[in-house]
Structures are given as C-alpha cells and as structure tokens.
Amino acid sequence: MKTTVTELFKIEYPIVSGGMVWCSGWRLAAAVSAAGGLGLLGAGSMHPETLAEHIAKTRQALGGNGGRPFGVNVPLFYPEIDALIDLLIAERVPIVFTSGGNPALYTERLKAAGMTVAHVVASARFARKAEAAGVDAVVAEGFEAGGHNGRDEITTMTLIPQVREATRLPLLAAGGIATGRGMLAAMALGADGVQVGTRFALSAESSAHEAFKARCTTLSEGDTMLCLKKLSPVRLVKNEFYARVAEAEARGAGVEELRELLGARRSKRGIFEGDLAEGELEIGQVASLVRRVEPAGEIVREIITEFRTAREEVQRWEI
C-alpha cells in the first residue's frame, strides 16, 4: 500500500501506533513495525535511561540498525525534555513524533540530526504552525482520542478535512480510529494514514496492566469523558477517581484543587499498576468497539483486511 505516509516513514502500511504513556514499550513498538506499520515508543512515561533501554531492545527485535523503522513519541511538556532530545540524537532514532508543545523548539535540531519529525495537532491553526516550524508530517487528533486532548473538542471527522485544507504535508488521522472502516473514512476525508492508540493500548504487547485492559474491553458508549480542562484536558474512564474529579469540576473547583486531586503518579497507578478505582484510566471513546486483547501484528492485519473489504464495497456503489 503506497501513500505519502508509507513513503515518508518507509513502511508497508500507513498505520502508526500511538506513543502512549505506560503502554508503548519496546514490545509493542517492535510488534507494530514488524507487521509493516510504524511502532512508536512512548517516552512520556520513561526516564532517559529507561528510554535508552527500550530503544536498544526495539532495534534488536527489528534486526538492528538496518532493520525495520520505528519511532519515539516525545511530549514537549515532559520535565526531562532536554535530556530526552539529547538521547534521541545520540541514539540516531530515525523518526520522532512530538506533541503537547511548540514544535519550533526542537524540530530544526532534530532534522539537522537526520531525523524525520511529525507533530501532533488538534486544529488547522496549529497544523500551519507545525508546517512553518519545518516538520515533515502532522498528526491531526480529534477529541475522541484517549489521554490528553485539545481544548476545543473538535471531532476527528471535522478536523481532518480542515487540516487537509490547511497543509499539504503528509497527514495522519488520529482519535477514534481502530478499524479498517475507520481508516478508510479518515483517508476519504484527506488523511494519508492513521495513528491508532486505543486498540494498540489494549493489545497483547502493550505494557498496560492486564486489569486495565480487561476493564477497557468491557466499556460501552459514554463510559469515557473528557475532563480536567482547567489543567490539561484528558479523556478518562468513569470510575471512583473520575467521579471525584467530576464533582469538583461541577462546583467550580480551581486549578490548585484539581492539581492536588490529581496528585502524582495517577496515570501510572491506573494504567500500569491496574488500580481501577483510584487510578487515572486514560482510553479513547473507540474502546467500546474493542472486545478482546489481540497481538499487535494481528491488529495491523485485521485493519488492512477490513480496509480493503470496505474499499471494495464502496467502489461497487452506483452513482
């Protein structure tokens, strides 16, 4: 399958796994890349020495420096961001996805080191800024996505055509995409590929806790909600912790109270350690379509098979 995304990243299929905190370790990144997509390591939950270990293991699993490509997702608000950037350059990581900050801060330096750089945006305005900063591709993420989100609550179906109009860069659609039909819909709207988070977060190779995976594969529509918009908007599963956040927001709690309620290690407690009551359970709306934990390679193959079937169905329509 050939698109500007497959050509840019030198991959077989235009499917990228999200670089998700506490989920996207070397096993998941390697499995997605080995299946023909692009696997990303999630640096947002790793200290530099931990990331170095995951980079080495990913490389080894994919055949060394001449093996299949992989990348690293780096949230630009990460406390150790400068150390992570230095490490990525020293390790000659081929592809870097940046998110949650100003792409102009590091793009020039990363590209000077020979890396391909993509940046995650939540609006057409930020897509134009990312292009001006010199990135090679943009990921347009709708608010259906899990984890941290844009404040404007723009849906993926609304966002993709607007970003497509704003930039001619290779465009990945993200947020609410977990199937081949979803991939076809996104590409019909102007995307050149997709970034899939939730379905890979619930895969066999994801480093998320098995209790977290089991809970998320039972979710129905409406079981997640975007909250904490006064801090940094995040989509959470409704549990005891979420109920306390919702109550605080309903009565107008301020930033400091919400920050104290959130505390430290809340997402690690929920996603990585499996505390289903008091953990921060970040997952996308599309979890209601995911009913079993599967190997990541099988997920890639299922998405591509369904994409091809759906495309053939559409081509049979009479106009």
Side-chain angles (χ1 to χ4, degrees), residues 46-229:
M46 300 182 187
H47 293 297
E49 60 272 18
T50 306
L51 179 58
E53 179 183 347
H54 280 259
I55 290 171
K57 288 183 176 179
T58 305
R59 275 208 173 102
Q60 182 178 12
L62 294 173
N65 287 330
R68 289 180 180 266
F70 70 96
V72 176
N73 179 80
V74 182
L76 296 176
F77 54 78
Y78 187 67
E80 297 179 277
I81 181 63
D82 290 316
L84 289 184
I85 294 297
D86 289 344
L87 173 65
L88 295 175
I89 292 172
E91 291 286 345
R92 299 179 181 272
V93 171
I95 300 165
V96 175
F97 279 49
T98 56
S99 60
N102 182 2
L105 293 174
Y106 297 101
T107 296
E108 184 176 352
R109 187 177 169 202
L110 292 170
K111 287 177 64 69
M115 301 179 190
T116 300
V117 179
H119 188 68
V120 181
V121 302
S123 70
R125 177 168 64 94
F126 284 112
R128 286 189 286 267
K129 286 188 175 183
E131 183 172 23
V135 304
D136 298 294
V138 292
V139 182
E141 185 175 80
F143 100 117
E144 299 96 324
H148 292 281
N149 257 296
R151 296 181 181 275
D152 297 328
E153 301 188 13
I154 303 172
T155 66
T156 302
M157 185 167 284
T158 300
L159 179 62
I160 298 306
Q162 294 187 66
V163 173
R164 178 72 291 160
E165 191 172 299
T167 177
R168 302 317 302 170
L169 288 175
L171 170 60
L172 286 156
I177 301 168
T179 65
R181 292 184 182 278
M183 177 176 166
L184 179 63
M187 294 180 73
L189 290 171
D192 304 297
V194 295
Q195 180 168 281
V196 175
T198 291
R199 194 166 178 190
F200 286 126
L202 305 179
S203 70
E205 292 86 354
S206 166
S207 51
H209 196 281
E210 294 306 313
F212 170 79
K213 296 179 191 180
R215 175 71 182 100
C216 290
T217 54
T218 67
L219 297 176
S220 300
E221 300 120 317
D223 282 346
T224 69
M225 187 64 68
L226 196 67
C227 60
L228 292 169
K229 291 183 71 173

Side-chain angles (χ1 to χ4, degrees), residues 13 15 31 34-36 199-200 295-308:
Y13 305 120
I15 298 173
R199 194 166 178 190
F200 286 126
E298 185 60 29
I299 291 171
V300 172
R301 288 185 285 273
E302 286 180 5
I303 290 174
I304 292 300
T305 297
E306 185 178 301
F307 173 88
R308 288 169 173 160

Side-chain angles (χ1 to χ4, degrees), residues 34-49:
L38 179 68
L40 297 184
L41 294 170
S45 53
M46 300 182 187
H47 293 297
E49 60 272 18

